[in-house]
Amino acid sequence: MTDASTAPKAVLLADYQPFSHVISQVDLAFHLSPRATRVKARLALSPNPQRASGLDLRLDGEGLTLISCMVNGVAVHATPDASGLTLPAALLPDGAFVLETEVEIAPEANTALEGLYMSKGMYCTQCEAEGFRKITFYPDRPDVMAPFRVRIEAEAPVLLSNGNLVGKGEGWAEWHDPWPKPAYLFALVAGDLVAHSAPFKTASGRDVALNIWVRPGDEDRCAYAMDSLIRSMRWDEQVYGREYDLDIFNIVAVDDFNMGAMENKGLNIFNSKYVLASAKTATDDDFGRIEAIIAHEYFHNWTGNRITCRDWFQLCLKEGLTVFRDQQFTGDMRSHAVKRIEDVLMLRARQFREDQGPLAHAVRPDAYVEINNFYTATIYEKGAEVIGMLKRLVGEAGYAKALDLYFDRHDGQAATIEDWIAVFEDATGRDLAQFKRWYSEAGTPRLHVHEDWADGTYTLHFTQENPATPGQPVKGAKVIPIAVGLLNPNGDEVVETTVLEMTEGRQSFAFTGLSARPVPSILRGFSAPVVLERNVSASERAFLLAHDTDPFNKWEAGRGLAKEILAQMVTDGGKPSADWLEALVRVVMDDRLDPAFRALALRLPSDDDMAQTLFLSGYVPDPDRIYAARRRMGDALAHRLSADLPRLFNDLDVPGPYSPDAVAAGRRALRMAVLDLLSRLDGGKAAEALSQSADNMTEEVGALSCLLSVGAGDAALARFKARWSDNGNVMDKWFALQIGLAPPAKAAALTESLTSDPGFAWRNPNRFRSVIGALSANHAGFHNASGAGYRLVADWLLKLDPLNPQTAARMSSAFETWRRYDADRKGMVQAELQRILATPNLSRDMTEMAQRMLTD
Ligand SMILES: [Zn+2]
């Protein structure tokens, strides 16, 4: 016997072949029981005309006990191996036939939370990417699509599956999903649940019953998710012309869940933290995420479900597009400017970081060992950026035409990136061959800019650099849409936003007939996911912060200034410049600006962002110095604003009952940013008062964070725990906040002590992330010179790996930045990664991650 986990084998895009057979109908019957669930599967099969005839039938299957196997009603002898079951061609009839299998599985013993498992007595499933093979023998690949009929028998009041309900009685229910789907979209739920329901009528008049299913007692925290769902359904009709296509749409909230949520056809399953919300239990950020994730999963009904991916290399086809759509939706619901800034912050924090390290991979990778390791910021967020660039290049009308063609041409199919690009080429007549490099090449391009001014002509010279990434040493020039505007020295805009199309390694663009040398505003709206390299003086940044008409670049100017000053403070211990303080104060005090924008302007660059910036500028980042400089910067800002802070704090109070709308949330965001500065001056007095009087979670958490930052949080922490100990979603915040804000030298010890807290239910992914994940997100704490942070995180990843390899492996990316740091830290991380790799029976997931991080 060979142990598959010690010799992970790569799957290659180049090896793709259609499946040997076609499935025209799937009938499943579940008899649920925690330790011995029986699954009967009846598959109507025929040879695939796209393949040669007379092929064996190979079905995926893991951890299944085979009870019986019949072909056309006749028992056949078949012995499964570790990864599936092969029925030799000799056993199969020439044409169509029916295969019936029965297997036994134990959902209660399933700790990996893939396939059919149990969460607090409730049965639920997670099949993407390859969980269905843990339920029954099946070709578990997205290009095998079939209609499903499902019968569930169980001692539970609520029995749900995909599609429409076609029958039910005491202890059973039958569901039929008429839309052919791949197995990864299968779902089943059974348990003691209650529904928050609402009606919906589609644009063409179809009545749809909407239900959000939760545990009894949670039904009063579903209203916002329902409201978000209804708005999402309406928006997709209005903006993309896409209607819902079943009689019923169910959402179920589950406490134990590896991901955020899952778009199973007609039965979305959600991590409970992205469904349940009330003013008292959820922050404004939670409400915003719920709205975005409900929309995202709903939008998958068309981009993912009706049109799915041919194979998992095409994952960005559904994820990049659906993220792009949910970003558009949030912008329409809230503020496009604020949404764009938040998205870019996230892109840089997660995707740029990934692209610059050993885990860099293309938006469409061409090899993987474990697909679960590729649910990354590159697939999702960079995938969405690539679509944003496409839209910028072909324009609004071209994009709308291409999307209509995509839905017309590929509805009911499993498609590829080639199909996607082809609809844009066919709809707009553009040649996108060069653009496709954005899908096949990893790495963040760096765009160098310099300029000339003579005789009324202003010329921008761009050079693009496409750095090497693992496995891709050489790359070609990309198509880069560069949105540019020009301002006169008096602050007026003389050239409105114009999109320059860069297609060569070096390219120049001239603007003629100008009366004075303009100030350029380059890469407006962050028009391409690149690093812009340009020597800009502090005064020019301050000018753009004051005058730029593009809200993203206005914010970016302040951000650039803050990073430049912070970098100086880290490297030579200097003080923040008066220019920066004045420019920032002007923005913060400007009542004409959106408070949410002002709050973002006040947010200092994160420690990790600074470490990355310093590393890219040729420095070895010192986490303690970054931490100290960032604190000094905040203190300086607090002192400069000291006369205004108390008044600002009071003025920004939002009167009346709590509402999670964007305007009120923006005011609270600015108010909490002001409170953070105020706490540096008053030692937390105002924060302590708010912590005792707050009637909503945004202010309760905001006040607690301020207190923790100034080392005065003990009493508030104790109160918080006493108040919320029976609410898991809220207690995740209690763990994460104190670890995330712990001083660097104490963070690991505090985390270790909290792992002994009775509330540290580490098998629950949310709780594990709120403790171990919070430590790895505390930059100076995780990278503390003692190495205690590295050791503790590695210890816990190794403890989780045998039970839940997917979550453990994903969290191991905490180590991906190790090559940035000094030799001591590098040596310690390398030793931890080697220790992980040397652990017996390490999962395939974790093996792949550790190997990639250690490879040069
Ligand atoms: Zn998705």
Side-chain angles (χ1 to χ4, degrees):
M1 275 221 354
T2 55
D3 181 357
S5 68
T6 56
K9 229 183 112 202
V11 182
L12 305 178
L13 171 59
D15 290 347
Y16 173 82
Q17 280 206 311
F19 188 56
S20 60
H21 291 73
V22 174
I23 304 185
S24 56
Q25 174 66 38
V26 178
D27 287 90
L28 300 173
F30 288 82
H31 186 81
L32 296 174
S33 154
R35 276 173 228 170
T37 286
R38 287 289 177 105
V39 186
K40 287 185 187 168
R42 183 183 185 280
L43 313 180
L45 289 144
S46 55
N48 186 344
Q50 294 181 308
R51 295 285 309 272
S53 57
L55 296 174
D56 293 352
L57 175 63
R58 172 68 185 174
L59 302 174
D60 302 300
E62 280 175 25
L64 309 172
T65 303
L66 184 63
I67 307 295
S68 67
C69 180
M70 291 193 291
V71 173
N72 283 345
V74 179
V76 294
H77 181 73
T79 311
D81 54 51
S83 62
L85 179 67
T86 300
L87 293 170
L91 284 182
L92 306 174
D94 280 341
F97 64 96
V98 170
L99 174 72
E100 290 168 277
T101 59
E102 182 170 7
V103 300
E104 188 170 295
I105 52 177
E108 192 182 65
N110 180 352
T111 58
L113 315 183
E114 287 177 298
L116 176 66
Y117 66 95
M118 301 196 74
S119 172
K120 296 184 179 159
M122 163 179 153
Y123 295 88
C124 65
T125 54
Q126 170 58 36
C127 293
E128 187 178 0
E130 297 179 335
F132 194 69
R133 63 189 59 188
K134 296 180 171 187
I135 293 174
T136 190
F137 288 105
Y138 196 81
D140 191 4
R141 43 187 287 166
D143 59 345
V144 175
M145 299 171 82
F148 279 56
R149 185 178 282 273
V150 177
R151 180 181 169 89
I152 311 168
E153 294 171 14
E155 287 173 35
V158 176
L159 307 172
L160 307 173
S161 191
N162 315 88
N164 297 318
L165 182 68
V166 289
K168 70 170 178 175
E170 185 66 30
W172 67 274
E174 276 185 25
W175 292 82
H176 176 235
D177 183 0
W179 300 104
K181 67 166 176 290
Y184 82 87
L185 291 172
F186 168 80
L188 176 153
V189 169
D192 182 11
L193 298 165
V194 289
H196 175 103
S197 305
F200 184 84
K201 197 183 271 294
T202 67
S204 68
R206 176 199 274 269
D207 286 310
V208 183
L210 309 178
N211 302 298
I212 297 179
W213 296 92
V214 296
R215 274 171 214 299
D218 287 340
E219 57 271 35
D220 59 342
R221 290 194 283 149
C222 301
Y224 190 74
M226 181 60 85
D227 176 55
S228 302
L229 175 61
I230 290 169
R231 284 184 284 120
S232 306
M233 295 176 83
R234 203 57 80 202
W235 185 90
D236 213 18
E237 290 180 345
Q238 288 164 354
V239 179
Y240 279 84
R242 298 295 116 198
E243 250 184 54
Y244 187 61
D245 52 6
L246 291 165
D247 304 335
I248 185 167
F249 187 77
N250 288 313
I251 289 176
V252 179
V254 181
D255 285 336
D256 299 285
F257 204 70
N258 283 335
M259 335 253 289
M262 178 63 211
E263 70 262 23
N264 317 297
K265 182 77 187 189
L267 176 54
N268 289 0
I269 299 183
F270 269 64
N271 189 322
S272 59
K273 74 185 277 202
Y274 298 125
V275 173
L276 302 177
S278 69
K280 288 207 168 7
T281 61
T283 63
D284 291 330
D285 288 345
D286 293 329
F287 279 98
R289 272 190 289 270
I290 287 169
E291 181 184 73
I293 295 176
I294 292 270
H296 178 97
E297 305 308 333
Y298 175 72
F299 296 158
H300 268 313
N301 190 54
W302 276 94
T303 52
N305 300 3
R306 288 283 288 258
I307 304 177
T308 191
C309 307
R310 188 193 72 176
D311 52 69
W312 290 121
F313 297 103
Q314 324 292 331
L315 182 56
C316 68
L317 181 73
K318 76 177 178 80
E319 294 306 342
L321 177 54
T322 306
V323 170
F324 182 71
R325 274 151 51 72
D326 83 52
Q327 291 173 346
Q328 289 181 301
F329 169 76
T330 300
D332 282 353
M333 294 297 123
R334 291 163 179 256
S335 148
H336 285 282
V338 168
K339 176 63 177 160
R340 189 65 188 137
I341 294 167
E342 286 172 345
D343 286 342
V344 174
L345 275 168
M346 220 250 277
L347 182 80
R348 286 175 173 158
R350 296 182 47 218
Q351 201 279 323
F352 279 22
R353 169 180 147 135
E354 184 167 80
D355 243 354
Q356 273 144 18
L359 299 178
H361 59 86
V363 172
R364 182 174 68 179
D366 51 20
Y368 61 79
V369 171
E370 171 51 65
I371 186 59
N372 282 334
N373 288 335
F374 284 82
Y375 284 73
T376 59
T378 296
I379 303 285
Y380 281 67
E381 273 75 34
K382 189 174 177 184
E385 290 298 318
V386 172
I387 292 172
M389 285 191 287
L390 257 181
K391 182 163 181 273
R392 225 165 258 119
L393 291 170
V394 303
E396 296 274 347
Y399 178 79
K401 218 172 140 196
L403 267 284
D404 285 345
L405 182 58
Y406 180 62
F407 293 121
D408 282 352
R409 189 183 279 177
H410 295 292
D411 187 13
Q413 294 181 1
T416 62
I417 290 303
E418 281 71 20
D419 296 329
W420 168 252
I421 294 285
V423 297
F424 279 82
E425 290 186 324
D426 294 348
T428 68
R430 276 187 76 113
D431 177 355
L432 292 166
Q434 186 188 359
F435 185 82
K436 247 188 93 183
R437 285 182 186 148
W438 281 107
Y439 283 101
S440 59
E441 294 183 353
T444 309
R446 298 177 79 162
L447 191 59
H448 304 271
V449 192
H450 68 274
E451 53 249 56
D452 276 333
W453 165 250
D455 304 326
T457 296
Y458 181 74
T459 310
L460 287 168
H461 306 282
F462 295 98
T463 309
Q464 57 169 299
E465 183 194 340
N466 288 282
T469 49
Q472 290 190 321
V474 182
K475 301 189 170 76
K478 303 256 188 331
V479 181
I480 304 180
I482 309 169
V484 172
L486 300 179
L487 303 172
N488 252 350
N490 68 0
D492 292 344
E493 188 161 85
V494 283
V495 174
E496 281 180 15
T497 304
T498 307
V499 179
L500 310 175
E501 241 179 272
M502 184 177 191
T503 54
E504 291 158 33
R506 286 164 183 276
Q507 220 166 327
S508 301
F509 298 89
F511 298 86
T512 54
L514 300 167
S515 58
R517 184 184 176 123
V519 176
S521 166
I522 302 173
L523 210 65
R524 282 186 158 179
F526 201 64
S527 59
V530 301
V531 175
L532 189 62
E533 307 264 12
R534 176 169 171 261
N535 280 325
V536 190
S537 67
S539 61
E540 189 174 318
R541 289 197 206 270
F543 174 86
L544 288 171
L545 177 59
H547 299 291
D548 205 325
T549 56
D550 180 73
F552 177 82
N553 267 12
K554 186 182 179 72
W555 169 83
E556 178 82 327
R559 184 77 170 181
L561 200 50
K563 281 173 90 164
E564 207 168 84
I565 292 163
L566 199 44
Q568 267 165 28
M569 290 171 67
V570 173
T571 50
D572 64 21
K575 285 201 303 198
S577 72
D579 286 355
W580 172 69
L581 287 169
E582 292 321 309
L584 193 56
V585 165
R586 232 173 297 146
V587 170
V588 173
M589 303 297 284
D590 188 345
D591 290 340
R592 293 163 306 175
L593 295 171
D594 178 0
F597 178 88
R598 290 150 73 196
L600 283 168
L602 261 182
R603 200 192 290 177
L604 301 179
S606 73
D607 286 10
D608 191 68
D609 189 1
M610 284 314 297
Q612 181 170 296
T613 304
L614 287 164
F615 178 68
L616 286 179
S617 320
Y619 293 93
V620 175
D622 178 332
D624 292 318
R625 287 180 71 100
I626 294 173
Y627 176 83
R630 193 168 177 277
R631 283 188 81 90
R632 288 206 312 281
M633 194 173 206
D635 290 347
L637 192 53
H639 280 106
R640 170 60 188 78
L641 277 165
S642 58
D644 298 298
L645 291 172
R647 182 187 60 75
L648 269 175
F649 178 67
N650 289 328
D651 288 357
L652 287 163
D653 191 12
V654 185
Y658 173 89
S659 156
D661 68 89
V663 173
R667 285 178 69 95
R668 277 188 293 269
L670 181 56
R671 189 167 190 242
M672 291 307 105
V674 166
L675 184 62
D676 180 68
L677 297 176
L678 188 55
S679 301
R680 294 161 191 262
L681 304 176
D682 74 358
K685 224 175 116 206
E688 175 63 27
L690 181 64
S691 156
Q692 296 192 30
S693 68
D695 67 351
N696 64 76
M697 185 51 68
T698 306
E699 291 184 335
E700 195 171 343
V701 155
L704 178 59
S705 302
C706 294
L707 290 166
L708 289 166
S709 292
V710 296
D714 289 351
L717 268 179
R719 271 200 310 274
F720 193 100
K721 188 182 191 184
R723 188 164 175 209
W724 295 113
S725 57
D726 61 350
N727 185 316
N729 298 136
V730 177
M731 280 307 285
D732 287 337
K733 300 179 196 301
W734 182 83
F735 283 100
L737 278 174
Q738 53 184 313
I739 294 170
L741 292 166
K746 294 184 180 165
L750 173 67
T751 308
E752 190 155 21
S753 76
L754 285 171
T755 60
S756 319
D757 187 285
F760 181 54
W762 60 274
R763 288 175 178 81
N764 174 272
N766 289 358
R767 187 56 49 86
F768 193 90
R769 283 187 283 258
S770 71
V771 175
I772 306 304
L775 174 59
S776 54
N778 179 331
H779 182 261
F782 178 56
H783 293 287
N784 187 255
S786 68
Y790 299 148
R791 209 158 40 242
L792 190 64
V793 170
D795 283 348
W796 278 98
L797 293 181
L798 284 172
K799 190 163 174 177
L800 184 63
D801 185 59
L803 275 69
N804 187 338
Q806 184 181 342
T807 291
R810 266 183 215 168
M811 291 180 65
S812 72
S813 65
F815 292 109
E816 74 182 323
T817 58
W818 66 279
R819 284 192 180 84
R820 284 179 191 162
Y821 299 96
D822 57 84
D824 284 352
R825 287 183 171 87
K826 274 190 201 163
M828 289 189 287
V829 174
Q830 212 170 1
E832 294 302 339
L833 288 173
Q834 280 158 352
R835 175 165 74 99
I836 288 172
L837 209 47
T839 303
N841 302 317
L842 195 69
S843 69
R844 185 174 59 210
D845 310 53
M846 191 65 101
T847 304
E848 181 185 26
M849 292 296 275
Q851 279 176 346
R852 284 166 71 200
M853 285 190 278
L854 282 167
T855 305
D856 284 317

